[in-house]
Amino acid sequence: MIDLLTFVPAVAAILATPGPTNTLLASSGAQAGFRRSLPLVPAELCGYALAIAGWGLFLEPASAALPWLKPTLRLACAAYLVAVAWGLWSRAGEALSGSGFGTRRVFTATLLNPKALLFAAVIFPEAAFATSAAFLQTISVFAAVIVPIALAWIGFGAALSQPGFFIRPQTVQRGAALVLLTFSASLGAAALG
């Protein structure tokens, strides 16, 4: 069983901090609007669920035997974030179709998000990876925390694009690209340092 008094605030604090996924959610809210960005929330949840399960069940134990694994994965994540940042910067101000930045991009960015490793290695109790029932219980509480935070990031982005707001969506997208580059640089430095 998880200790809700420590688990929920820790998860909320980590999820609320700016990061690659939150940057994409806010950018989509600014560009595509709140309603059209809603499909990104399940994509984020699925990305985190798979990444946390992968880290908790396989990659963390494997990295003990393969010390090069974590730095290599961090470099791969950093390279992906550079590609996403380039796409945001180069298409800033373009009208987007569908749900803004697409569920696939949010899913992939979340799957590669270094916060998943933090959740698996520190925040999720070890017992969460012992049985499928324990994992489902823990990920359900995680989902209850992630949904309102994701909606808040989308809403924040949508508010930025309102006609009376003094920042243009193009500026938001380019700012988001710079934030992603910063995260990429920190990941790369951690992998090489």
Side-chain angles (χ1 to χ4, degrees):
M1 178 164 268
I2 57 176
D3 179 9
L4 294 176
L5 293 177
T6 57
F7 183 77
V8 171
V11 168
I14 293 167
L15 287 173
T17 60
T21 303
N22 291 340
T23 301
L24 291 175
L25 292 174
S27 295
S28 182
Q31 189 68 25
F34 187 84
R35 200 173 98 235
R36 288 177 51 205
S37 298
L38 289 178
L40 303 180
V41 177
E44 178 187 15
L45 182 57
C46 289
Y48 269 128
L50 286 175
I52 292 167
W55 277 115
L57 296 174
F58 176 72
L59 292 176
E60 188 64 30
S63 68
L66 305 168
W68 53 265
L69 186 59
K70 282 185 185 178
T72 303
L73 289 172
R74 285 186 181 130
L75 286 174
C77 291
Y80 177 75
L81 291 178
V82 168
V84 172
W86 173 253
L88 281 174
W89 185 275
S90 63
R91 289 188 300 276
E94 288 181 13
L96 298 171
S97 59
S99 62
F101 292 101
T103 55
R104 183 178 295 165
R105 179 176 281 175
V106 169
F107 172 78
T108 305
T110 305
L111 191 64
L112 299 174
N113 194 325
K115 289 179 183 180
L117 173 59
L118 179 61
F119 286 128
V122 180
I123 307 300
F124 273 54
E126 287 183 30
F129 302 107
T131 66
S132 58
F135 183 76
L136 287 175
Q137 178 191 27
T138 308
I139 205 72
S140 295
V141 174
F142 181 83
V145 177
I146 200 171
V147 169
I149 292 172
L151 293 174
W153 276 101
I154 292 170
F156 171 70
L160 293 177
S161 67
Q162 295 303 311
F165 206 80
F166 59 93
I167 299 175
R168 298 182 327 193
Q170 179 180 7
T171 305
V172 172
Q173 272 186 262
R174 289 204 168 153
L178 293 174
V179 169
L180 288 175
L181 283 176
T182 302
F183 284 111
S184 175
S186 67
L187 270 177
L192 298 173

